[in-house]
């Protein structure tokens, strides 16, 4: 439900809108960082608790949502499978993390090479130029004697006893093929000596290094065909809800499924290998079987995390004996999200069914969990000032889509739980503290995984 009046762009639910009315609007923190009221927001299940049996009602009343930052910390502590390193060819290693140190398998360069096109010369000039030149990829060239020169290509092996390379633009020849330098020649100029970058056995990169295109180039230059890396975490997506259409226009109470197309590439951008996307509808038994039989490292469900008549995630997790690590988060949108441990090395992230709320769940729970499973280091957090003020929830953190313009974060409209227009053009999400934020206030920024690199080459 969208609140009317001054809050029409926030899309608070009934509970949130009433809370704002009682507070007289969304208070903005003062310069001391105070956020005003701190009492907890009632659980979404509180209204339904009175209709439950005494045991269920007591459990609902005792339920407390996890603060947003605490939820991210818990998700980031997920253990990796032991001994998961695999040997990966270079063309398949992009985006993985090195599981072993990378040491040079040869000297770099492995022989003295020319840094420029020009002439290799020996001794003082002028020099007699040999008829045949030296090209890259050829064997060891003939030794030079003082007063001799030979044309040479970039990357070609330097002849023995050569004292320097003269660049093509810094020399001239006469009709007798005598070479004259047009500027002073320093001994060793434009020669890359053997081992200049490293010697065989030198450590190049430590374990835990993210494999970027530059790392692939270094590994190849150092003599590697494969590297030892941590495999991508395997993720399975279970799309829940009888009301979802996979094609065509919404009709007769049915709506298009936005999460089915959105989640697989998003999880891949976060470093996961998506092994399956399954549509289960509102079928509790199908959900139970799917969870019991899955061998994925991470299972992501959509919807069904609240306390409605067809919200089966909590009951099925109880039947399976799962351990709830996070059961609701103090964040808007997305507060009904959850994190559970199904087995020692298997986790479930339950996302709310509303699209932007699901995005909130991805960045709150799935991103830190997948980062840990993949062995990646946490990104450095940073803040930017807001270009415009934003309303806040009285007691919960808010995540709102923003675009980054210079040194400012510009809040976007269409940021309600069910809306995707804002996030579709966003660069990041801004973390708004309880009570809201004023123009110029510094807020933590969560980058979207493709904002800097592009979706097809995202590895950060």
């Amino acid at each position: 439900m969208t609140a009317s009046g001054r809050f029409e762009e926030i899309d608070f639910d009934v509970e949130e809108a009433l809370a704002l009315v009682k507070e007289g609007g969304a208070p903005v923190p003062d310069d001391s960082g105070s956020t005003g009221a701190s009492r907890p927001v009632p659980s979404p299940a509180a209204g339904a608790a009175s209709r439950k049996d005494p045991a269920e009602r007591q459990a609902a009343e005792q339920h407390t949502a996890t603060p947003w930052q605490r939820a991210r910390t818990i998700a980031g502590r997920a253990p990796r499978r032991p001994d998961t390193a695999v040997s990966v060819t270079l063309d398949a290693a992009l985006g993985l993390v090195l599981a072993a140190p990378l040491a040079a398998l040869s000297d770099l360069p492995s022989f003295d090479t020319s840094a420029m096109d020009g002439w290799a010369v020996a001794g003082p000039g002028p020099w007699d130029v040999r008829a045949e030149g030296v090209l890259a990829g050829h064997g060891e060239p003939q030794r030079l004697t003082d007063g001799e020169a030979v044309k040479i290509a970039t990357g070609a092996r330097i002849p023995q006893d050569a004292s320097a390379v003269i660049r093509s633009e810094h020399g001239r020849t006469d009709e007798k093929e005598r070479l004259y330098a047009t500027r002073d020649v320093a001994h060793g100029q434009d020669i890359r000596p053997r081992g200049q970058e490293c010697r065989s056995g030198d450590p190049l990169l430590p374990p835990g290094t993210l494999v970027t295109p530059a790392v692939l180039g270094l590994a190849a230059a150092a003599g590697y065909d494969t590297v030892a890396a941590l495999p991508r975490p395997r993720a399975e997506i279970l799309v829940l809800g009888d009301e979802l259409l996979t094609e065509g226009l919404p009709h007769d109470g049915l709506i298009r499924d936005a999460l089915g197309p959105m989640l697989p590439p998003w999880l891949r951008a976060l470093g996961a290998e998506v092994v399956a996307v399954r549509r289960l509808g509102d079928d509790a038994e199908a959900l139970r079987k799917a969870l019991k039989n899955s061998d994925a490292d991470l299972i992501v469900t959509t919807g069904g995390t609240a306390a409605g008549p067809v919200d089966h995630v909590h009951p099925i997790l109880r039947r399976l004996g799962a351990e709830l690590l996070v059961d609701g988060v103090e964040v808007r949108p997305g507060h009904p999200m959850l994190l559970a441990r199904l087995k020692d090395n298997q986790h479930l992230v339950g996302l709310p069914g509303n699209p932007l709320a699901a995005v909130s769940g991805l960045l709150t729970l799935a991103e830190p969990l997948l980062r840990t499973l993949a062995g990646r280091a946490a990104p450095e957090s940073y803040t930017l000032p807001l270009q415009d003020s934003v309303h806040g929830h009285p007691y919960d953190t808010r995540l709102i889509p923003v675009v980054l313009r210079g040194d400012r974060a510009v809040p976007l409209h269409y940021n309600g739980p069910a809306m995707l227009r804002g996030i579709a053009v966003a660069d990041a999400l801004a973390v708004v503290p309880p009570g809201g934020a004023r123009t110029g206030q510094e807020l933590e920024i969560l980058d979207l995984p493709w904002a800097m690199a592009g979706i097809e080459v995202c590895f950060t």
Side-chain angles (χ1 to χ4, degrees):
M1 177 177 179
T2 303
S4 59
R6 60 182 288 203
F7 305 115
E8 61 186 357
E9 294 172 352
I10 305 179
D11 200 29
F12 288 119
D13 59 22
V14 173
E15 171 193 317
E16 294 170 298
L18 289 175
L20 283 170
V21 171
K22 291 177 182 178
E23 294 294 324
V28 176
D30 59 25
D31 291 335
S32 68
S34 172
T35 57
S38 60
R39 59 188 174 89
V41 175
S43 164
S50 61
R51 298 188 296 273
K52 299 178 182 291
D53 63 46
E56 290 178 318
R57 183 164 64 249
Q58 182 181 11
E61 290 170 351
Q62 290 176 346
H63 166 67
T64 302
T66 304
W68 177 76
Q69 190 60 63
R70 172 68 177 159
R72 283 174 57 83
T73 300
I74 292 172
R77 290 176 178 168
R80 287 200 308 271
R81 294 182 187 273
D83 303 322
T84 55
V86 293
S87 179
V88 185
T89 59
L90 296 188
D91 61 357
L94 182 66
L96 300 182
V97 168
L98 294 180
L102 199 73
L105 300 180
S106 68
D107 297 344
L108 281 182
S110 54
F111 45 81
D112 294 349
T113 62
S114 177
M116 293 287 172
D117 291 336
W119 296 268
V121 299
W127 303 269
D128 293 320
V129 180
R130 290 180 180 171
E132 293 186 1
V134 181
L135 299 177
H138 288 219
E140 185 172 358
Q142 184 179 349
R143 179 193 301 263
L144 289 178
T145 60
D146 282 356
E148 282 190 312
V150 64
K151 286 189 72 67
I152 194 166
T154 300
R157 191 165 187 158
I158 296 291
Q160 290 188 46
D161 295 333
S163 55
V165 169
I166 298 175
R167 302 184 186 191
S168 297
E169 62 269 27
H170 297 160
R172 63 177 179 82
T173 56
D174 60 18
E175 66 280 358
K176 296 181 180 180
E177 287 300 307
R178 295 272 289 172
L179 171 67
Y180 298 85
T182 58
R183 59 177 61 187
D184 291 342
V185 179
H187 185 82
Q189 73 178 27
D190 288 325
I191 293 176
R192 293 188 63 214
R194 176 175 181 167
Q196 182 186 52
E197 186 168 0
C198 62
R199 289 291 185 179
S200 179
D202 283 352
L204 301 177
L205 296 170
T209 299
L210 181 68
V211 179
T212 65
V215 169
L216 293 176
L218 176 61
Y224 285 85
D225 300 316
T226 63
V227 293
L230 296 175
R232 288 180 175 84
R234 301 171 72 250
E236 182 173 359
I237 300 169
L238 305 179
V239 180
L240 312 181
D242 289 337
E243 75 279 14
L244 301 177
L245 294 169
T246 59
E247 60 183 11
L249 295 175
H251 63 86
D252 300 326
L254 303 177
I255 60 173
R256 280 296 297 270
D257 170 29
L259 298 182
M262 181 173 73
L263 291 182
W266 202 310
L267 290 171
R268 292 187 191 105
L270 292 176
E273 175 191 355
V274 178
V275 296
V277 180
R278 303 175 60 188
R279 300 178 184 277
L280 303 183
D282 291 318
D283 187 328
E285 185 58 20
L287 176 60
R288 186 193 68 81
K289 289 180 179 179
L291 297 184
K292 185 176 180 180
N293 295 330
S294 176
D295 62 356
D297 301 300
L298 170 63
I299 303 170
V300 176
T301 61
T302 69
T305 57
V310 291
D311 290 334
H312 301 306
V313 174
H314 280 92
I316 296 302
L317 290 177
R318 285 196 295 269
R319 287 177 60 186
L320 294 176
E323 178 187 3
L324 274 176
L325 304 176
V326 174
D327 190 8
V329 177
E330 294 174 0
V331 68
R332 305 299 170 117
H335 56 285
M337 69 180 73
L338 63 85
L339 172 65
R341 181 183 291 117
L342 293 168
K343 304 171 187 174
D344 285 344
N345 295 297
Q346 185 181 64
H347 289 77
L348 178 142
V349 169
L351 301 177
N354 277 326
L356 190 58
V359 169
S360 175
L362 280 175
L363 296 184
T364 300
L365 299 177
E367 186 275 331
L369 187 144
L370 286 171
R371 180 183 356 108
T372 298
L373 294 180
R376 299 182 182 184
E380 291 291 332
S381 62
Y382 72 100
T383 64
L384 284 178
L386 280 177
Q387 179 166 298
D388 306 301
S389 63
V390 294
H391 296 299
H393 188 274
Y395 321 117
D396 291 352
T397 299
R398 282 190 70 213
L399 301 181
I400 62 165
V402 295
V403 290
L404 308 183
R405 295 291 181 263
D407 62 350
R408 295 252 164 177
V410 183
L412 294 168
H413 299 307
Y414 305 107
N415 52 34
M419 298 180 180
L420 288 174
R421 286 181 66 179
I423 194 69
V425 296
D427 299 316
L429 293 179
V431 182
V432 181
R438 68 172 65 84
T439 300
Q441 183 173 336
E442 295 270 345
L443 294 185
E444 181 180 356
I445 301 298
L446 303 177
D447 287 323
L448 298 179
W450 51 84
M452 299 302 292
I455 190 69
E456 292 300 327
V457 294
C458 180
F459 50 86
T460 58

